[in-house]
Amino acid sequence: MEELNKISYLDYNATTPIDPRVFKAMLPFLKDNFANPSSTHHFGQSINGKVKQAREQIADFINAESNELIFTSGATEAINIAIKGIAESYSNKGKHIITLSTEHKAVLDTCKDLERKGFEVTYLPVQPNGLIDLVELKQVIRPDTILVSVMYINNETGVIQPIKEIATLTHQNGALFITDATQAVGKIEIDVDALGIDLLCFSGHKMYAPKGIGALYVRNKTKLTPQTHGGGHEQGLRSGTLNVPGIIALAKACEIASEEMALNQRKISALRDKLETEFLELPNTSLIGDLENRIFNTTNICFKGQDANVLIGRMKNIAVSNGSACSSAVIEPSHVLKAMGLNDDDAFASLRFSLGKYNTIEDIETVVNKIKELTQPNFKYA
Ligand SMILES: Cc1ncc(COP(=O)(O)O)c(C=O)c1O
């Protein structure tokens, strides 16, 4: 936590620090308890027992059965296994998939890959507030639609989609529903049964566990064609020796999240609201997203006329995000903000602030003061 004390870190949607209790729980499995849980000797089997326990705990956290959980390296891998696996398994029924234009690249690029393989993908536009239009979903869903993929909570805007309604509509039309819940698990209560979710992906490093561990929930009886082959681990759906320290860490992170969820929601939303109010009182600022249907830790604000990348570069010891994808050294405006109708200039002028459980009022004051200083009309860069 030492590094965290030196900076005002408001980028928890990008990644979270490891909770020291999570770190403590996983440590013995990095060192002394190193056996392979697939080994048949007693040492291996004792570790296998711990993995089993952790699997039950994590499954329970989303109200799933333990045999419905596949451990992966993170959300991206889970999404790939799920979408490609469903496409291959159900291609006899149809080759049409529906997703949102505001999805994470892990979903969009997986869909692009499937298009190259003969599938048809509808990238549904969103409303200006980032929410799905259910009437439009009803219009585009067809008898040959096999899968609808909609992110639970958007990583850039915090907008929460109406997951239950989408799942119901999807099932009424005979398709399966998958949600990328990477920004939801750990923050809000999730019950895959009550919501009617068939497949769900999430990632440890967004919920105070380390990078390199994630999970895929697959409702029992859902057919999934394996995309990786090898030792047949994880019911043949994700071959490869299990990441035991990561799994133990994820279980501990779920336990802590479950105990502290209400407290975090209260504390973090108060800080987020303070930050947001301060910014929205400034001239030429506006909120991006939906005021009602959004997660308590995120705010995305357009500072009209500013360049978010310049602002970020000018803020030493402050970590916020511009939500724009930087690939191959070309900085592009965020596809999420563009899909919500922002022009390039406004998309480049937007900053995402995502808070977490270690933030303090001092962090908020530091960030507010610095951005106020940098955006005042007569401010001259040194
Ligand atoms: C909504 C969402 N989906 C997927 C991912 C990818 O997660 P991972 O880094 O675990 O592959 C992220 C992380 O950036 C995310 O925020």
Side-chain angles (χ1 to χ4, degrees):
M1 293 289 136
E2 268 170 44
E3 279 307 305
L4 207 55
N5 294 335
K6 291 186 209 149
I7 57 168
S8 295
Y9 185 81
L10 270 64
D11 202 16
Y12 281 79
N13 286 6
T15 197
T16 60
I18 301 177
D19 185 306
R21 294 166 288 180
V22 169
F23 186 64
K24 191 173 169 212
M26 74 187 283
L27 215 50
F29 296 87
L30 282 165
K31 197 166 169 279
D32 298 329
N33 301 342
F34 64 87
N36 189 328
S38 300
S39 297
T40 50
H41 47 68
H42 287 284
F43 189 19
Q45 285 310 293
S46 78
I47 303 297
N48 190 35
K50 298 285 183 198
V51 169
K52 202 168 159 223
Q53 223 177 344
R55 192 188 297 277
E56 277 165 13
Q57 206 176 342
I58 299 163
D60 203 42
F61 186 56
I62 55 168
N63 195 27
E65 300 294 328
S66 59
N67 67 349
E68 294 175 310
L69 211 64
I70 309 296
F71 289 121
T72 65
S73 61
T76 302
E77 190 190 5
I79 289 164
N80 271 267
I81 292 174
I83 296 183
K84 290 175 187 166
I86 290 290
E88 214 176 314
S89 291
Y90 292 85
S91 61
N92 283 343
K93 177 183 177 277
K95 289 195 151 193
H96 181 232
I97 293 168
I98 300 170
T99 191
L100 282 193
S101 47
T102 48
E103 292 293 302
H104 192 272
K105 291 282 182 189
V107 169
L108 295 177
D109 286 1
T110 301
C111 287
K112 292 251 152 57
D113 183 55
L114 287 173
E115 281 185 287
R116 286 188 288 271
K117 292 169 181 158
F119 288 83
E120 191 189 334
V121 181
T122 300
Y123 299 93
L124 211 56
V126 292
Q127 304 179 66
N129 60 2
L131 282 168
I132 189 172
D133 184 336
L134 290 171
V135 176
E136 259 187 86
L137 175 61
K138 219 181 254 182
Q139 281 163 358
V140 298
I141 199 162
R142 332 186 292 219
D144 66 335
T145 305
I146 52 172
L147 185 67
V148 173
S149 176
V150 175
M151 190 193 282
Y152 203 136
I153 296 178
N154 189 277
N155 49 310
E156 292 190 32
T157 60
V159 166
I160 305 178
Q161 299 293 349
I163 292 301
K164 192 169 179 181
E165 286 86 341
I166 301 168
T168 305
L169 218 152
T170 302
H171 292 153
Q172 282 165 354
N173 288 274
L176 292 166
F177 176 63
I178 175 169
T179 185
D180 168 6
T182 308
Q183 297 293 345
V185 176
K187 293 192 183 97
I188 56 172
E189 244 176 68
I190 291 180
D191 180 332
V192 286
D193 262 350
L195 292 166
I197 295 166
D198 299 304
L199 302 106
L200 174 143
C201 309
F202 63 103
S203 189
H205 75 99
K206 309 287 186 179
M207 49 182 292
Y208 308 97
K211 294 156 189 70
I213 184 68
L216 167 64
Y217 157 78
V218 189
R219 182 173 293 282
N220 270 330
K221 301 203 174 73
T222 310
K223 285 186 283 171
L224 208 56
T225 306
Q227 301 301 307
T228 49
H229 304 92
H233 308 75
E234 300 300 271
Q235 303 173 56
L237 290 170
R238 202 275 190 175
S239 284
T241 302
L242 294 185
N243 172 2
V244 178
I247 292 167
I248 301 295
L250 189 59
K252 187 69 184 172
C254 289
E255 180 192 311
I256 295 170
S258 149
E259 285 166 6
E260 299 177 357
M261 197 172 277
L263 174 76
N264 287 335
Q265 287 176 358
R266 265 200 315 278
K267 185 192 144 192
I268 298 168
S269 63
L271 292 176
R272 191 277 311 267
D273 290 351
K274 168 144 182 64
L275 176 94
E276 187 173 275
T277 308
E278 293 270 7
F279 285 143
L280 293 178
E281 278 170 2
L282 297 175
N284 302 320
T285 56
S286 55
L287 179 77
I288 300 166
D290 190 69
L291 252 185
E292 269 178 35
N293 303 289
R294 61 168 180 163
I295 191 69
F296 56 86
N297 81 315
T298 306
T299 184
N300 194 318
I301 293 179
C302 177
F303 294 86
K304 209 171 179 59
Q306 301 289 335
D307 182 332
N309 278 311
V310 172
L311 291 177
I312 289 169
R314 294 273 163 183
M315 291 189 282
K316 258 198 189 158
N317 302 327
I318 288 177
V320 299
S321 161
N322 58 359
S324 62
C326 178
S327 53
S328 338
V330 180
I331 297 172
E332 294 166 351
S334 148
H335 71 280
V336 173
L337 303 189
K338 293 276 287 176
M340 291 165 71
L342 272 77
N343 61 33
D344 281 9
D345 285 349
D346 285 351
F348 276 130
S350 301
L351 283 172
R352 174 189 74 181
F353 306 88
S354 52
L355 284 64
K357 65 183 181 182
Y358 299 119
N359 281 131
T360 60
I361 188 69
E362 287 76 27
D363 290 330
I364 304 305
E365 283 163 0
T366 304
V367 174
V368 166
N369 290 338
K370 191 67 192 173
I371 289 187
K372 275 186 178 173
E373 178 196 325
L374 293 176
T375 58
Q376 63 183 327
N378 52 358
F379 179 78
K380 294 263 187 304
Y381 288 126

